[in-house]
Amino acid sequence: MAIAQRVVVDPITRIEGHLRIEAETDADGKITSAYSAGTMVRGIEIILRGRDPRDAWAFAQRICGVCTLVHGIASVRSVEDALHRAIPTYSIPQNAELIRNLMIAAQYVHDHVMHFYHLHALDWVDVVSALKADPKATSTLAQSISSYPKSSPGYFADVQKKVKNFVEQGQLGIFSNAYWGHPAYKLPPEANLMAVAHYLEALAWQRDVVKLHAIFGGKNPHPNFVVGGVPSAISVHVDHPGQGKGPHYRGGQDATAVNMVGLQIVQNVIKQMRDFVDQVYVPDLLAIASFYKEWGGIGDTGGNFLSFGDMPSKSFWDTDSYLIPRGVILNHDISTIHPIDLDKEDEIQEFVSHSWYKYGGGDAEGLHPFKGETELNYTGPKPPYEQLEVEKKYSWLKSPRWQGKAMEVGPLARVLLMYADTKSAGHAQTKELVDYTLKTLDVPVTALFSTLGRTAARGLESKVLADSMQGMFDHLMANIKAGDVRTFNDQYWDPSTWPNHMHGVGLMEAPRGGLSHWIVIDGGKISNYQAVVPSTWNAGPRDAQGQPGAYESALQHNHVMHDPKQPIEILRTIHSFDPCIACAVHVTDPDGEELVQVKVK
C-alpha cells in the first residue's frame, strides 16, 4: 500500500550539480509540495567589490563554465549602461553589437542542442531499448521526418553496435545514470535508436560550431570581451597577391584580427547550425513530443513570465530594435505584455526569507539589486542531512520577484513574448512555428504552459535564432564592405573621465533566461555588484509570502510518480528548465568552512 513520503533528488542535473529537489507526495504518489535548494553559494559579488569595473567581466564570466560568454556580456553591458546613464552620447559601434548578437545567438543554438540531446533527451529516450530496433525500420522513420543525409540502415546498424558494446561491457558510459526500462518511456525502439544516433552526432557537431566564439572572442569557453565593444579587430587589407593562390589577407585564425578567412568560417558555422536545427533537432523534437502529449498538461508554473529582451539591431538602449522583446506576461494572458521598469525600487527585488543570507534591514524585506546585499548566513543543518528544514531557510539561492510575483524566465518566456508581440512583423516566424507545432501535435495553446511546452519552445527558439544569424552576418559584411570596420569605442575608456558616482545594469537573455548584472561605481571602483541569474529566478525558494519559485510551482502541478525510487517525473520537469547552478558555487567543507582561499591580484 502506497504511503505519503518525502522524495529527495540530489544532485538532479546531468551537468554540474548543486541543485537539490525535495518533493512531498500523497498516498497516491501525487506531488503535493516541492522545494528547490541551491546547495552551494556563489560569492562573486563579494570578490568584485573594490575592483576596476573594466575588469569585472573577466571575473563575472567565471560564475559559470557552462554559460561561457553570457556573464561576460552582461557585465560589460552593466558598465556601458552606467556610462550611458551618466553620458547619454556614449554608444557602442554597430559592428560590436552585431558581433555580440552573433556570439549570443551561437551560444543559444549550441546550448539548446546540447541540452536537448545530452541533458534532457535521456528523460524521454530509452537507450537500452534501441538495441531492439530494426536499423532498416529506423532508416525509414528517419527519412520520413527529415532530409538529413545520415539515415541509411547501415548507419543506424553501426550506432546500434556501439550501444550494444557499451551494454555488454556493463559500462554505459555517457548513457549511465538513468532508469532504463521505466514504464514512463514510450518511444518505440526505432525512435530510440534514431535519437541515440543523433545524440552522438550532436557531440561532434558542437565541437565545430564553437569556432564562432573562438574567432570573435579568441577562445571558448570564456571568450574575451571589452567595455566599449568587442576585442575583434577586423582586417580586410591585402598584403600581396599570394603568388597565384589568391589574395593574402592580414590576420586570420593565427592572428589577433578577424579577416576574410575567419569570416568565411563564421559563415560556414552559421550554415552548420541551421542545417542541424532544421534537419535533426526540430524533426526529432516533434517526433519525440508526439509520444508524450500528456505532458502538455503537466508542469505549469502559474503563468507569469519575464524577458529582459535581447538581440538589438541598432543599440542596446533602443529596446524597440530587439529581436527578443522585453516585457512580462501575467496569469497566462498572452494578449497583454506589461512593461518592465528597471529603476523602480519595488519592481525587481530579491528576498532572502528562505535563503541563507542576512539583510541589514531584516530578512522579510525585498531589496532592489542596486541596493542589494550579499552577507552569507548559513543556518541550516550540518551536512550531510536527510531533509531540508523547509519551514526555515533552505537554499543558497535568493528569491527574485517582479512586483512581488514569482516569474518563469527562459525559452518559454521568450517564445511566448514573441508569439504575443503582434506589433513586430519580425515575430511572424515565431507565431507560424508555434501554431505549426500545436497543430502537428494536436494540442491546445494552453499546452505551451507546461513541461512539454517548455521543451518545445527551446527548439523553436533555436530555429528562429539560427535563421536570424544569417541576417546579422550579412549586415556585418555589408558594413565591412562599405569601409566600416570599427568594433570598439575608446571614448571614456579611462576612469578619470568618469563621474565620481555611476550605476548601471547589464541585461541579456541567456539561454536559460533573463540575466542581469547590476553595478554601482564610486571613484572608479566597484562599490556594489549584484548578479540576478536565470536559475535564481527559476530555482529560487519560497519568499516571505510563501510563494514558491518556478521549479517548485511546476512540480506541484499534476505530477504523479510511478516509483519514488526512480523519480523520472521530477527529472523531466526540472530538466525542462535546463538548470545550471554553477552560478551559485562556492567551495566549503562539510562544516561550512572554506577549503581554499585564492588571492587574485
Side-chain angles (χ1 to χ4, degrees):
M1 179 174 138
I3 59 173
Q5 59 182 299
R6 176 85 65 93
V7 179
V8 178
V9 187
D10 181 14
I12 198 169
T13 54
R14 287 193 174 94
I15 182 171
E16 199 284 316
H18 313 125
L19 176 64
R20 177 187 180 101
I21 296 293
E22 296 193 8
E24 295 179 351
T25 67
D26 62 18
D28 296 320
K30 183 176 182 179
I31 295 176
T32 55
S33 59
Y35 305 91
S36 168
T39 56
M40 300 190 84
V41 66
R42 186 169 58 226
I44 286 288
E45 293 92 342
I46 299 171
I47 293 171
L48 282 171
R49 291 175 190 162
R51 296 190 181 275
D52 189 323
R54 298 170 299 177
D55 295 338
W57 69 268
F59 292 90
Q61 193 168 209
R62 269 67 184 178
I63 285 175
C64 181
V66 177
C67 306
T68 63
L69 64 83
V70 299
H71 290 287
I73 289 181
S75 186
V76 296
R77 280 178 171 175
S78 72
V79 183
E80 291 163 355
D81 185 57
L83 283 165
H84 183 77
R85 287 169 181 248
I87 309 165
T89 57
Y90 181 79
S91 63
I92 306 303
Q94 187 180 62
N95 288 338
E97 295 283 20
L98 290 168
I99 289 172
R100 287 182 185 179
N101 285 350
L102 284 167
M103 295 179 77
I104 295 169
Q107 178 70 45
Y108 271 89
V109 179
H110 175 274
D111 196 276
H112 289 349
V113 168
M114 293 291 287
H115 169 262
F116 180 74
Y117 287 101
H118 306 133
L119 306 180
H120 195 30
L122 299 188
D123 298 329
W124 315 95
V125 174
D126 188 334
V127 174
V128 177
S129 164
L131 297 178
K132 303 175 184 177
D134 175 0
K136 185 175 180 180
T138 304
S139 174
T140 300
L141 170 65
Q143 293 178 26
S144 71
I145 65 172
S146 169
S147 60
Y148 191 56
K150 293 184 178 181
S151 59
S152 69
Y155 170 75
F156 288 114
D158 288 343
V159 172
Q160 192 177 51
K161 183 177 180 180
K162 289 181 183 178
V163 177
K164 185 173 184 289
N165 289 337
F166 277 131
V167 174
E168 289 179 345
Q169 294 170 10
Q171 298 176 342
L172 280 171
I174 56 177
F175 301 126
S176 61
N177 299 323
Y179 308 124
W180 310 129
H182 194 291
Y185 287 112
K186 294 186 175 182
L187 294 183
E190 287 71 27
N192 284 317
L193 178 57
M194 180 181 70
V196 171
H198 295 160
Y199 178 113
L200 298 173
E201 285 292 322
L203 284 174
W205 170 89
Q206 62 89 23
R207 289 197 300 267
D208 289 333
V209 298
V210 296
K211 290 177 182 178
L212 185 148
H213 287 167
I215 288 169
F216 286 132
K219 59 191 179 75
N220 180 282
H222 302 314
N224 296 303
F225 292 101
V226 64
V227 172
V230 291
S232 313
I234 297 174
S235 172
V236 292
H237 300 288
V238 179
D239 281 342
H240 56 77
Q243 298 178 343
K245 298 180 181 180
H248 178 78
Y249 295 99
R250 297 176 189 168
Q253 296 183 78
D254 301 319
T256 57
V258 176
N259 75 347
M260 299 307 292
V261 175
L263 290 169
Q264 184 58 53
I265 293 173
V266 171
Q267 174 64 86
N268 294 341
V269 165
I270 292 172
K271 185 179 187 303
Q272 280 182 276
M273 286 189 162
R274 295 182 75 180
D275 287 348
F276 198 87
V277 170
D278 289 346
Q279 298 177 17
V280 184
Y281 183 11
V282 172
D284 281 359
L285 172 68
L286 294 176
I288 293 172
S290 68
F291 288 90
Y292 295 101
K293 292 192 286 186
E294 73 275 13
W295 281 84
I298 302 172
D300 188 345
T301 59
N304 296 336
F305 301 90
L306 177 146
S307 167
F308 289 127
D310 212 329
M311 308 290 179
S313 61
K314 296 180 181 178
S315 162
F316 171 71
W317 298 282
D318 183 357
T319 56
D320 289 339
S321 73
Y322 284 14
L323 172 63
I324 300 171
R326 176 179 297 175
V328 164
I329 289 172
L330 295 176
N331 301 318
H332 305 101
D333 181 8
I334 58 175
S335 68
T336 303
I337 297 178
H338 302 268
I340 297 174
D341 188 332
L342 299 172
D343 296 311
K344 196 173 180 181
E345 289 196 9
D346 62 352
E347 188 149 315
I348 295 177
Q349 296 178 315
E350 286 194 297
F351 292 84
V352 296
S353 55
H354 284 282
S355 309
W356 289 310
Y357 296 90
K358 181 190 296 183
Y359 278 172
D363 291 353
E365 71 174 336
L367 293 181
H368 186 278
F370 279 140
K371 296 184 177 180
E373 300 175 9
T374 306
E375 184 175 350
L376 312 183
N377 183 40
Y378 183 76
T379 57
K382 182 178 179 180
Y385 46 83
E386 292 186 6
Q387 294 185 359
L388 296 168
E389 298 176 327
V390 295
E391 71 283 355
K392 302 177 182 178
K393 294 173 179 279
Y394 62 89
S395 179
W396 277 117
L397 303 183
K398 296 179 180 179
S399 302
R401 296 292 183 264
W402 180 83
Q403 292 190 359
K405 299 177 178 64
M407 311 300 294
E408 176 179 339
V409 300
L412 179 55
R414 292 189 292 262
V415 167
L416 287 173
L417 278 157
M418 288 190 281
Y419 187 73
D421 186 4
T422 57
K423 297 179 182 178
S424 174
H427 298 142
Q429 181 190 20
T430 305
K431 183 169 178 55
E432 182 180 348
L433 284 170
V434 171
D435 289 340
Y436 173 79
T437 300
L438 295 174
K439 182 178 179 180
T440 299
L441 297 178
D442 190 25
V443 294
V445 70
T446 54
L448 294 171
F449 308 112
S450 68
T451 296
L452 181 73
R454 201 172 294 115
T455 300
R458 185 171 278 105
L460 301 185
E461 178 177 67
S462 296
K463 167 65 175 169
V464 171
L465 291 173
D467 287 351
S468 73
M469 290 178 72
Q470 188 61 56
M472 298 172 191
F473 182 76
D474 291 344
H475 193 172
L476 176 64
M477 292 302 295
N479 288 350
I480 293 171
K481 290 176 181 178
D484 178 10
V485 295
R486 188 165 174 257
T487 60
F488 172 62
N489 179 5
D490 61 356
Q491 190 179 26
Y492 306 113
W493 167 254
D494 188 341
S496 66
T497 65
W498 300 355
N500 187 60
H501 174 83
M502 300 192 302
H503 65 279
V505 55
L507 303 171
M508 74 163 297
E509 280 296 313
R512 291 163 180 82
L515 171 65
S516 55
H517 284 221
W518 308 73
I519 193 169
V520 180
I521 302 169
D522 288 294
K525 301 293 184 182
I526 298 172
S527 57
N528 196 6
Y529 199 100
Q530 298 292 320
V532 185
V533 306
S535 289
T536 311
W537 282 100
N538 287 334
R542 284 159 169 75
D543 56 26
Q545 284 69 48
Q547 296 179 102
Y551 287 7
E552 298 174 334
S553 293
L555 287 175
Q556 292 170 184
H557 181 249
N558 293 343
H559 284 76
V560 179
M561 301 185 65
H562 173 77
D563 180 1
K565 294 181 180 179
Q566 295 187 328
I568 192 170
E569 297 85 0
I570 293 177
L571 298 186
R572 284 176 172 176
T573 287
I574 296 300
H575 288 167
S576 75
F577 289 92
D578 192 8
C580 181
I581 315 301
C583 302
V585 170
H586 188 74
V587 182
T588 62
D589 68 10
D591 296 322
E593 300 297 325
E594 289 187 355
L595 290 175
V596 295
Q597 285 191 348
V598 180
K599 186 174 183 180
V600 183
K601 297 182 179 180

